[in-house]
Amino acid sequence: MPKIVAARVIVTCPGRNFVTLKIECDDGTTGVGDATLNGRELAVATYLTEHVVPCLIGRDAHRIEDIWQYLYKGAYWRRGPVTMTAIAAVDMALWDIKGKVAGLPVYQLLGGACREGVMVYGHANGTTIEETVEVAREYQRQGYKAIRLQCGVPGMTSSYGVSKDRYFYEPADADLPTENVWSTSKYLRVVPELFAAAREALGWDVHLLHDIHHRLTPIEAGRLGRDLEPWRPFWLEDATPAENQAAFRLIRQHTTAPLAVGEIFNSIWDAKTLIEEQLIDYIRATVVHAGGITHLRRIAALADLYQVRTGCHGATDLSPVAMAAALHFDLSVPNFGIQEYMRHTPETDAVFPHAYSFEGGMMHPGDAPGLGVDIDEALAVGYDYKRAFLPVNRLEDGTLWSW
Ligand code: EZ4
Ligand code: CO
């Protein structure tokens, strides 16, 4: 039995901040877990160092479920993004260790591959509709089968999802939160035009996705869904804030556009009503923010009963460690839908050498034992943590809105 003898938290900033947990066992086996919570990184790092690591020492690394229960129930204070991200990091690292000890990639421990590869979607964004469609064409040429479309809103100086850098998108862009301005009415006019132009240029074989990023009321989301129906969106993401799960009933009454939600969920309880009432089609909870592989499997199992499929979050603030864990999960879960994929920068990829690969719009976690990803600590130490916040959003009259 591999006994945990040490665990440490590594904070590094190869272009953006990442928090990584590395667990070491008495037989020399190590495992890594992602603990990055964008804009709140040091809260999780401290939670792990002060409140989790001391409780891990001496434990049997093979007892993944028991350690999960210990950290969840044992804290008394359940759920929440900081707690669940910390538990996720431990969980990922323990699956990594179990895979290495068994000499098997983690997806084999989860029941083996259910498919040949994992369909991913890339992000096409541009200031104008034309620019966005041009970028989407480029993704299509690279073999992507699914593309998310976001474009600038005329009359607005900044828009969610539209980056300054054409190749890499990074919203956590400042030492204090950037202030953006939002107009729902202007936005609602441009998105159907974007989808019409995209279908005309890209055809009907490619899946087209869109992220609303929690900015609409349920009735506005219903209207946008209806307007987009002729262009057959693969999904509309985060149509409205989901703290009130029942809000999605109203959206469902008005549109058949498939709905995805949950990148900020951290527990099965965040999605219970949404899943049981079949108010969504895709659940976006991720390994890193929803309690690791162990808890995400539980969410997926509940979702499977109601024909809800998975669509894990996969933005650049999820490190290659989380990406690897997501791909093992995706390959092995019966009700997989799609996986988000945003390229990391070359600096990030160098700090996190990984076995996963992309080809023709599909990804595969690789067959290295464990998660097939590591952190190059010698390289990581050269990149100091840099405070970075996500933006905030205000209506044109100054009212604070959802970003
Ligand atoms: O804004 O990950 O679908 N993807 C997204 C992301 C989120 C960031 C926040 O950290 O909505 O781009
Ligand atoms: Co999103």
Side-chain angles (χ1 to χ4, degrees), residues 214 240-248 261 264-265 269-270 274 402:
H214 306 113
T240 201
E243 287 99 320
N244 176 15
Q245 298 179 45
F248 280 71
V261 72
I264 67 170
F265 290 179
W269 299 99
D270 294 331
L274 290 167
S402 301

Side-chain angles (χ1 to χ4, degrees), residues 76-394:
Y76 185 65
W77 310 105
R78 299 181 187 211
R79 308 192 274 158
V82 175
T83 296
M84 296 304 275
T85 302
I87 294 177
V90 174
D91 187 76
M92 269 180 258
L94 295 179
W95 280 104
D96 192 21
I97 288 166
K98 196 183 278 294
K100 285 176 183 169
V101 171
L104 291 169
V106 167
Y107 76 82
Q108 294 291 12
L109 306 180
L110 302 176
C114 270
R115 54 195 56 80
E116 303 311 313
V118 170
M119 179 169 73
V120 298
Y121 69 92
H123 285 205
N125 65 72
T127 320
T128 61
I129 289 175
E130 295 69 33
E131 217 178 284
T132 306
V133 171
E134 194 39 55
V135 178
R137 254 194 224 277
E138 180 51 35
Y139 274 97
Q140 213 179 15
R141 281 193 282 267
Q142 289 170 23
Y144 280 85
K145 301 175 194 307
I147 304 167
R148 191 187 90 162
L149 304 172
Q150 309 289 143
C151 76
V153 178
M156 301 277 97
T157 48
S158 63
S159 301
Y160 163 76
V162 180
S163 75
K164 295 171 201 114
D165 184 313
R166 197 168 165 139
Y167 214 64
F168 300 106
Y169 169 68
E170 186 47 76
D173 60 357
D175 183 48
L176 284 172
T178 303
E179 301 244 341
N180 292 351
V181 181
W182 174 251
S183 159
T184 295
S185 56
K186 289 175 179 141
Y187 166 79
L188 285 176
R189 279 202 299 275
V190 75
V191 187
E193 290 172 24
L194 170 64
F195 268 70
R199 277 290 174 224
E200 171 121 1
L202 309 170
W204 295 85
D205 283 342
V206 63
H207 298 303
L208 299 179
L209 294 75
H210 182 69
D211 191 350
I212 298 169
H213 227 245
H214 306 113
R215 287 154 190 222
L216 298 180
T217 64
I219 202 70
E220 289 163 352
R223 183 182 136 201
L224 180 62
R226 204 178 265 192
D227 287 352
L228 292 180
E229 277 171 28
W231 317 112
R232 299 286 186 269
F234 181 90
W235 81 27
L236 296 185
E237 176 183 337
D238 291 340
T240 201
E243 287 99 320
N244 176 15
Q245 298 179 45
F248 280 71
R249 291 180 191 142
L250 187 53
I251 307 176
R252 275 291 206 223
Q253 284 167 23
H254 296 285
T255 181
T256 59
L259 302 175
V261 72
E263 70 183 37
I264 67 170
F265 290 179
N266 54 70
S267 156
I268 195 166
W269 299 99
D270 294 331
K272 188 171 177 287
T273 305
L274 290 167
I275 291 171
E276 287 177 345
E277 294 189 22
Q278 297 182 303
L279 300 177
I280 54 170
D281 302 282
Y282 297 91
I283 176 72
R284 288 199 25 86
T286 62
V287 275
V288 53
H289 300 132
I293 292 172
T294 297
H295 194 61
L296 196 59
R297 286 178 95 198
R298 198 155 279 143
I299 297 175
L302 175 67
D304 194 28
L305 300 181
Y306 298 95
Q307 294 176 281
V308 174
R309 295 196 282 165
T310 66
C312 293
H313 189 205
T316 43
D317 48 292
L318 285 76
S319 91
V321 176
M323 193 64 205
L327 292 171
H328 287 279
F329 168 80
D330 295 339
L331 199 66
S332 62
V333 73
N335 52 324
F336 167 77
I338 198 167
Q339 168 69 50
E340 183 179 24
Y341 173 53
M342 282 174 84
R343 287 171 297 247
H344 287 110
T345 61
E347 291 79 9
T348 297
D349 281 337
V351 168
F352 296 97
H354 51 260
Y356 60 76
S357 58
F358 170 92
E359 205 196 322
M362 309 289 283
M363 290 185 77
H364 194 283
D367 282 300
L371 292 175
V373 62
D374 206 349
I375 180 163
D376 181 334
E377 292 189 60
L379 208 53
V381 84
Y383 297 104
D384 286 339
Y385 167 77
K386 201 169 153 231
R387 191 173 71 190
F389 283 99
L390 288 167
V392 298
N393 220 7
R394 291 186 188 277

